[in-house]
């Protein structure tokens, strides 16, 4: 199976987690970028096209409040609101998950995760971040381009589009 989900950035201080993610997601993503510390997240996003981020909530030994993850989530969301962020932590905390979602995360996964569930969550995060344009808007834009290409000659534009001039006038709104 050929990977088709672009690039994921995984940020986790646990090398075993980074290895597990590479194994689990290797068939799903074309590129897997891993960071063992969050301090280069913003620089990495600036240099690389990233489709989704899997962000650990805790980076300091013995700290499990999730506060570090929230700070980085906020920083990412401020500069790159279009990149979906999925939070991950070993400490399942519903209040923390809700806070993360309110602060812009698209979902929340707990360690240890179910591989199929992790893949589904990440695919959904990317799929849902791609804005779908309504068909009538696509059609209006196409009609406008054809009319522009014909320099306003409605008869020629209608002929190119394979519709009557009357139909073209209904569809064309400059």
């Amino acid at each position: 199976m050929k990977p088709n989900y672009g690039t994921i950035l995984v940020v986790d201080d646990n090398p075993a987690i980074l290895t597990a993610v590479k194994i689990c997601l290797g068939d799903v993503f074309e590129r897997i970028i891993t960071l063992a510390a969050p301090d280069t997240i913003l620089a990495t996003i600036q240099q690389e096209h990233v489709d989704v981020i899997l962000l650990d909530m805790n980076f300091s030994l013995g700290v499990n409040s999730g506060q570090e993850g929230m700070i980085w989530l906020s920083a990412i969301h401020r500069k790159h609101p279009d990149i979906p962020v999925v939070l991950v932590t070993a400490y399942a905390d519903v209040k923390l998950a809700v806070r993360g979602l309110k602060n812009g995360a698209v979902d929340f996964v707990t360690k240890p995760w179910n591989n199929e569930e992790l893949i589904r969550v990440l695919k959904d995060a990317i799929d849902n971040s791609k804005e779908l344009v309504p068909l009538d808007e696509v059609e209006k834009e196409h009609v406008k381009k054809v009319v522009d290409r014909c320099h306003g000659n409605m008869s020629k534009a209608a002929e190119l589009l394979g519709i009557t001039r009357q139909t073209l006038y209904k569809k064309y709104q400059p």
Side-chain angles (χ1 to χ4, degrees):
M1 180 165 88
K2 185 178 180 282
N4 62 352
Y5 267 88
T7 301
I8 182 171
L9 173 62
V10 183
V11 188
D12 197 301
D13 59 330
N14 184 335
I17 294 292
L18 296 177
T19 300
V21 165
K22 282 183 177 179
I23 293 167
C24 174
L25 302 177
D27 289 340
V28 178
F29 289 90
E30 291 172 24
R31 273 185 84 212
I32 301 171
I33 301 170
T34 58
L35 298 176
D39 51 352
T40 58
I41 292 173
L42 297 177
T44 301
I45 297 170
Q46 203 66 34
Q47 296 168 347
E48 306 276 351
H49 171 78
V50 173
D51 296 290
V52 66
I53 298 171
L54 185 62
L55 177 66
D56 190 18
M57 297 292 296
N58 300 297
F59 296 96
S60 297
L61 197 61
V63 176
N64 59 18
S65 67
Q67 195 57 41
E68 290 171 298
M70 288 298 169
I71 291 167
W72 284 106
L73 171 64
S74 177
I76 294 164
H77 199 64
R78 217 175 13 260
K79 292 208 181 251
H80 304 277
D82 53 320
I83 301 175
V85 178
V86 174
L87 300 174
V88 62
T89 185
Y91 305 95
D93 181 340
V94 175
K95 286 181 187 172
L96 185 61
V98 169
R99 205 168 100 220
L101 296 172
K102 284 182 178 177
N103 287 337
V106 295
D107 214 328
F108 191 90
V109 177
T110 57
K111 299 174 195 171
W113 60 76
N114 170 290
N115 287 346
E116 288 78 27
E117 177 70 6
L118 176 65
I119 291 167
R120 184 197 59 75
V121 165
L122 293 169
K123 283 181 173 183
D124 285 353
I126 293 171
D127 292 344
N128 294 336
S129 73
K130 294 177 181 167
E131 190 176 319
L132 295 177
V133 180
L135 190 56
D136 61 326
E137 283 184 36
V138 173
E139 183 184 46
K140 284 178 191 175
E141 187 61 35
H142 181 66
V143 167
K144 185 180 179 327
K145 283 180 184 175
V146 171
V147 170
D148 289 348
R149 188 177 300 148
C150 294
H151 306 289
N153 182 332
M154 300 302 265
S155 295
K156 188 174 178 182
E159 187 181 325
L160 279 173
L161 290 165
I163 58 176
T164 65
R165 281 183 57 178
Q166 192 174 18
T167 303
L168 176 59
Y169 282 117
K170 288 179 187 172
K171 294 182 180 293
Y172 180 68
Q173 288 133 12

